[in-house]
Amino acid sequence: MKLKHLFLRGCTAALLLAGVAHVAAADELADIKKAGKIRVAIAMGTPLYSYVDDNLKPTGSDVDTATLLAHDLGVKLEIVQVTNAARVPTLQARRADLVVADLSITPERAKVVDFSIPYAVISLIVGAPKDIKISGYPDLNGKTIGLTRATVNDSITTEMAKGADIKRYEDDATLITSMVTGQIDIFSSTPSNLSEIQKRAPQRNVEMKFAQKDFDLGIALQQGQPALKDWVNNWVRENLKNGKLNAIYKKYHGRDLPARITQVQG
């Protein structure tokens, strides 16, 4: 009787574990289609990539990308507005199905989320007023530099400018405002944010001092979702081949995607 009891307990435990595994391996692609909508996390307040226009309507290259993706999937787009720092946590907390938010593909992020093949790129630069002499990381020693928290700008500047005083902001919009109002004089961000600063504060004579690095951007999704990942990869591949993703990027950024992105194989 005791052996039988232990056997039954073992079977019950095995069934419970199987149920947990089934939940963990739920087919998100099927769930999205069934729900008729896809929740996409987008970091609003990032000039050219995702921002609100004069009519208070979300726009930008990431917004157009997410809109096209939802259309091709045949579902309604629900934009989940997040800060840069909340992009990955929002996905991990399952408050979004995908992240399309100028999210660079890095080894650290790839440990906790999956990425599609690259759909766009982002460039990192250091900028400051013309009268501040900066040509590389050593010139940042002893100086305060502003950047957006939990971005590749944060990680690369922290690593390369160890003698700098780094001031971290929660989003690009706050970083831009701090430069425009003179709260900080040096920043690490993107050429699009530099353009916004120049437009809003021409009297500051802010210019690019040096380029930091170019990163490929990926659409992020939960790990362990092969069906959704295959669909997204195929979608990116097809829309790079037909030129739609390049057209979206060029519309907002004024240049074509690099050949390493557009000449996707497979």
Side-chain angles (χ1 to χ4, degrees), residues 174-187:
T174 310
L175 171 66
I176 291 169
T177 298
S178 295
M179 277 295 298
V180 168
T181 57
Q183 297 176 52
I184 55 172
D185 295 319
I186 307 168
F187 74 100

Side-chain angles (χ1 to χ4, degrees), residues 203-229:
Q203 75 282 359
R204 296 215 67 199
N205 294 314
V206 178
E207 63 181 10
M208 186 183 91
K209 294 301 182 179
F210 67 92
Q212 292 181 274
K213 193 173 182 179
D214 287 342
F215 283 90
D216 293 346
L217 303 181
I219 297 173
L221 64 152
Q222 292 281 351
Q223 293 181 333
Q225 293 296 326
L228 181 58
K229 185 174 181 178

Side-chain angles (χ1 to χ4, degrees), residues 119-121 123 240 243 245-262:
Y119 74 96
V121 296
S123 300
L240 286 172
L245 284 173
N246 186 69
I248 288 173
Y249 190 81
K250 190 171 185 178
K251 172 184 175 182
Y252 291 96
H253 302 273
R255 59 190 176 102
D256 291 315
L257 288 167
R260 74 172 188 277
I261 303 294
T262 57

Side-chain angles (χ1 to χ4, degrees), residues 47-135:
L48 306 187
Y49 288 95
S50 47
Y51 58 99
V52 177
D53 65 15
D54 293 338
N55 297 316
L56 303 181
K57 181 181 177 182
T59 191
S61 58
D62 276 343
V63 175
D64 282 10
T65 298
T67 301
L68 178 62
L69 185 150
H71 175 271
D72 291 347
L73 186 54
V75 297
K76 180 182 178 182
L77 171 64
E78 179 182 314
I79 294 177
V80 180
Q81 297 191 21
V82 297
T83 62
N84 290 80
R87 291 173 296 182
V88 170
T90 297
L91 183 63
Q92 291 177 305
R94 299 187 181 278
R95 292 194 295 270
D97 304 306
L98 299 176
V99 176
V100 183
D102 58 288
L103 192 64
S104 302
I105 302 171
T106 66
E108 292 77 16
R109 288 171 176 160
K111 293 176 183 177
V112 294
V113 300
D114 271 350
F115 282 102
S116 70
I117 60 175
Y119 74 96
V121 296
I122 193 168
S123 300
L124 308 185
I125 65 165
V126 168
K130 191 173 183 178
D131 58 358
I132 297 179
K133 305 301 180 183
I134 298 173
S135 59

Side-chain angles (χ1 to χ4, degrees), residues 129-145:
K130 191 173 183 178
D131 58 358
I132 297 179
K133 305 301 180 183
I134 298 173
S135 59
Y137 290 109
D139 296 327
L140 296 175
N141 288 338
K143 295 182 174 66
T144 298
I145 180 168

Side-chain angles (χ1 to χ4, degrees), residues 12-69:
T12 301
L15 287 171
L16 289 172
L17 288 173
V20 172
H22 175 73
V23 171
D27 186 347
E28 287 195 2
L29 178 59
D31 291 343
I32 290 166
K33 290 180 177 179
K34 183 177 179 180
K37 70 175 182 180
I38 186 166
R39 302 167 302 161
V40 180
I42 300 179
M44 301 303 296
T46 304
L48 306 187
Y49 288 95
S50 47
Y51 58 99
V52 177
D53 65 15
D54 293 338
N55 297 316
L56 303 181
K57 181 181 177 182
T59 191
S61 58
D62 276 343
V63 175
D64 282 10
T65 298
T67 301
L68 178 62
L69 185 150

